[in-house]
Each structure stands twice: as structure tokens, then as C-alpha cells.
């Protein structure tokens, strides 16, 4: 198993454990997690740990964070940021509501950070949620951990010599996804709309859809150039060419599953037809195995 495969497996296990059974029961897994930092431009970084990849903008103005993984990792994340700057975290922007991206909200808010997200993230974090695909119930977050500032379509932050443009992509991974474009740094954070290296989780019970994922990828592809660094929700930092491959995979397999479902085929028949056969070796060894990916796509078309 390669180092990257080991990293993906460890991340997937922590994410699955926390989403399905709660952060407290996954604590032992987090004890061994190390936060790794990669610099993408003079002012932007990505932090890898367990859960969603963290985007970071650091400069003379403020410390701007995108997603904050799980609560038990907050001290480790703060320590990793402190190695770059002594400034406190001023902003935390959530790409969507799932706990592997919002679990640290409470801790960072207590430290003075302003939590920002799309309107639908606020709605979901303030009420009990049920992730149907994982059979996981999520309790509402305390008020301090919920977004204080929300937006419906887009918002721009003029900080650290950059223009940080966040915009909503409807019905993609969920109904509250935000993509964040560091325009001057030429860095884009896609949250869980993009899983780099394995089949994506599309939360249809939270308003997600395969068509929305493809549409979001198309929008980013139109914005990006060959030098753009693209941060996925999970997996290593990517680029335009790899995003195009991912986009085409999702579109192709989704269209095949839809066609078979419309022909009246049952789930076991669709799986047996192997609509993702040429992609399984590359994409089917992560958080979502092949059979479950097909099941997820079929359930999306049934909604």
C-alpha cells in the first residue's frame, strides 16, 4: 500500500467513524492523527489531517480558514497554523455542513473566529439531520458553533492581498456547498464536491445530486487554467486536468446507472452490469466502494 493509499484509508476510517458513530467514539483514531501542511502560494496553504482538507490564507490582514475537520483535532490544527503565523484565526468558512468539515467550529468560535457559510449550512447545523446513506443521525450544533454570517449566492473577502470569492453550487455534494476561489493566488477549494482519488460521497438526503457535482466541476474547469491548484474535500491537491478526469467519470457512470434504472433494472442487476468497470481500479478503493457508489447513484435518480 502506498503512502497516499494509507493516507486515504486513514482519513476515510476517521471520517466514517465520526459520521456514523459520533466524534466521541472515534477519539482514539484522532489521537494518532498528524496535521500536515502544504504551501500553495505565498499566502495560501492546505492542511491535511482527518476529515475534510483545510484551506488557509495567511497574511498581514488576518487568518482565514476553510473548514476545520473534527473537534478533537482543533488543538493540533491551531498548532499547525501557529507554525505559520502568530495571528489568531479570524474567519472560518464552511464548505458544507458535514461534521468532518464543521466539527471544530465551536472551538474556533470560542477563540474568536467568525463562522461563515451558505444559508442552508446554517439551517442544517441548527437542526437535527439524518444522513440516509450512512444511516447516521447528527445532532444540531450549539449556537456558538453555527454560522454567524451566511450568504445565498456568493461573497467576496478582500484579505491578505487576495480576493477570496466564495460561491454557492446548488444540489452538488449537498444543498449548501460553497466553492472558494483565491483569485490572485490561483487556488480553488472545492470541498466535498471533489474527492480526489476515490469515488465521491454525494449526500442525496441533504439535497446533493450527481448532476450538481458535474455542473460544479464544469464551472471550476471554466475558471481554472493549467497552473491552478485545486484543493479537493479529500485527497491530495489537484489540478485542472485531474478534475476533468474526475468530472467525466462521475458523468459517465451516473448516466449509465440512470439508463439501467430507467430500463427497470434492480440494484443487483445494475451492479452486475458493471457500469463503472473501467474506473474501479483507480476510484473504487476509498471511502465509497464500487457497489455502494452504484447504489448511491441509483438512489439519486430515484429521488
Amino acid at each position: 500500500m502506498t503512502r497516499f493509499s494509507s493516507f486515504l484509508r486513514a482519513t476515510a476510517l476517521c471520517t466514517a467513524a465520526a459520521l456514523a458513530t459520533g466524534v466521541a467514539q472515534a477519539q482514539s483514531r484522532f489521537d494518532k492523527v498528524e496535521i500536515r501542511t502544504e504551501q500553495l502560494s505565498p499566502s495560501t496553504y492546505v492542511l491535511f489531517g482527518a476529515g475534510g482538507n483545510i484551506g488557509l490564507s495567511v497574511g498581514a490582514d488576518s487568518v482565514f480558514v476553510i473548514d476545520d475537520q473534527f473537534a478533537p483535532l482543533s488543538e493540533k490544527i491551531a498548532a499547525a497554523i501557529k507554525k505559520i503565523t502568530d495571528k489568531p484565526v479570524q474567519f472560518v468558512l464552511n464548505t458544507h455542513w458535514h461534521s468532518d468539515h464543521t466539527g471544530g467550529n465551536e472551538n474556533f468560535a470560542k477563540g474568536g473566529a467568525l463562522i461563515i457559510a451558505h444559508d442552508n449550512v446554517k439551517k442544517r447545523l441548527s437542526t437535527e439531520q439524518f444522513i440516509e446513506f450512512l444511516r447516521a443521525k447528527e445532532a444540531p450544533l450549539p449556537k456558538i458553533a453555527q454560522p454567524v454570517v451566511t450568504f445565498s449566492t456568493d461573497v467576496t473577502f478582500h484579505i491578505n492581498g487576495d480576493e477570496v470569492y466564495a460561491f454557492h453550487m446548488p444540489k452538488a455534494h449537498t444543498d449548501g456547498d460553497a466553492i472558494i476561489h483565491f483569485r490572485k493566488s490561483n487556488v480553488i477549494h472545492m470541498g466535498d464536491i471533489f474527492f480526489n482519488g476515490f469515488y465521491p460521497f454525494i449526500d442525496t438526503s441533504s439535497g446533493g445530486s450527481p448532476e450538481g457535482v458535474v455542473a460544479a466541476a464544469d464551472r471550476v474547469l471554466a475558471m481554472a487554467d493549467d497552473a491552478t491548484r485545486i484543493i479537493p474535500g479529500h485527497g491530495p491537491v489537484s489540478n485542472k486536468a485531474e478534475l476533468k478526469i474526475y468530472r467525466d467519470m462521475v458523468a459517465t457512470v451516473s448516466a449509465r446507472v440512470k439508463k439501467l434504472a430507467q430500463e427497470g433494472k434492480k440494484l443487483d442487476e445494475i451492479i452486475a452490469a458493471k457500469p463503472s468497470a473501467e474506473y474501479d481500479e483507480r476510484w473504487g478503493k476509498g471511502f465509497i466502494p464500487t457497489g455502494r457508489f452504484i447504489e448511491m447513484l441509483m438512489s439519486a435518480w430515484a429521488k
Side-chain angles (χ1 to χ4, degrees):
M1 182 179 289
T2 66
R3 180 180 178 186
F4 173 51
S5 297
S6 299
F7 164 73
L8 284 184
R9 181 169 177 78
T11 298
L13 287 171
C14 286
T15 300
L19 284 175
T21 64
V23 170
Q25 295 180 39
Q27 177 67 61
S28 61
R29 297 190 185 278
F30 296 124
D31 289 343
K32 298 179 181 180
V33 171
E34 296 181 1
I35 306 300
R36 182 170 61 87
T37 302
E38 180 179 342
Q39 186 169 9
L40 305 181
S41 80
S43 62
T44 60
Y45 301 76
V46 59
L47 275 60
F48 303 96
N53 293 336
I54 296 172
L56 177 66
S57 174
V58 173
D61 299 325
S62 66
V63 176
F64 183 97
V65 171
I66 301 171
D67 290 341
D68 48 32
Q69 298 191 354
F70 298 107
L73 294 174
S74 294
E75 289 187 9
K76 291 183 178 182
I77 293 166
I81 295 173
K82 197 169 183 61
K83 290 180 180 179
I84 302 170
T85 177
D86 288 330
K87 294 181 182 295
V89 174
Q90 187 173 0
F91 302 104
V92 171
L93 195 158
N94 295 146
T95 59
H96 62 288
W97 76 271
H98 289 154
S99 60
D100 60 322
H101 295 255
T102 62
N105 278 12
E106 181 174 359
N107 291 332
F108 282 101
K110 287 178 178 177
L114 185 71
I115 310 297
I116 307 145
H118 183 262
D119 295 337
N120 289 337
V121 175
K122 169 74 171 180
K123 293 175 183 177
R124 292 192 179 277
L125 289 180
S126 61
T127 58
E128 183 178 276
Q129 298 294 309
F130 182 71
I131 303 177
E132 185 177 310
F133 188 73
L134 299 175
R135 302 291 187 268
K137 185 181 292 185
E138 292 283 336
L141 292 186
K143 185 176 180 180
I144 191 173
Q146 298 172 23
V148 174
V149 176
T150 64
F151 58 94
S152 59
T153 56
D154 55 17
V155 63
T156 302
F157 301 83
H158 302 272
I159 57 172
N160 300 331
D162 212 332
E163 293 180 11
V164 184
Y165 175 59
F167 59 93
H168 177 228
M169 285 304 305
K171 299 182 178 180
H173 173 62
T174 67
D175 60 8
D177 296 291
I179 292 173
I180 298 89
H181 186 194
F182 297 88
R183 284 172 163 158
K184 294 184 179 179
S185 295
N186 200 14
V187 173
I188 300 173
H189 195 311
M190 293 186 66
D192 278 4
I193 294 171
F194 184 15
F195 281 64
N196 187 18
F198 49 112
Y199 287 136
F201 168 43
I202 302 172
D203 187 358
T204 57
S205 61
S206 294
S209 71
E211 310 102 308
V213 169
V214 172
D218 284 339
R219 182 163 177 183
V220 172
L221 288 168
M223 297 164 55
D225 59 36
D226 291 342
T228 305
R229 310 297 300 278
I230 300 175
I231 304 172
H234 300 270
V237 174
S238 191
N239 55 46
K240 183 175 182 177
E242 289 180 349
L243 176 61
K244 179 63 164 59
I245 293 170
Y246 169 83
R247 178 260 181 224
D248 290 347
M249 176 273 293
V250 174
T252 299
V253 180
S254 180
R256 290 172 181 171
V257 171
K258 180 181 181 181
K259 183 176 183 294
L260 290 167
Q262 289 176 334
E263 291 172 356
K265 297 291 193 296
K266 304 299 182 185
L267 176 61
D268 58 346
E269 295 175 307
I270 294 176
I271 293 175
K274 299 183 178 180
S276 62
E278 70 267 42
Y279 300 110
D280 291 342
E281 178 64 26
R282 176 171 180 175
W283 303 94
K285 299 178 179 179
F287 177 36
I288 306 292
T290 299
R292 289 284 277 162
F293 183 54
I294 303 306
E295 178 186 355
M296 181 183 66
L297 293 174
M298 186 175 179
S299 69
W301 292 120
K303 289 186 180 296

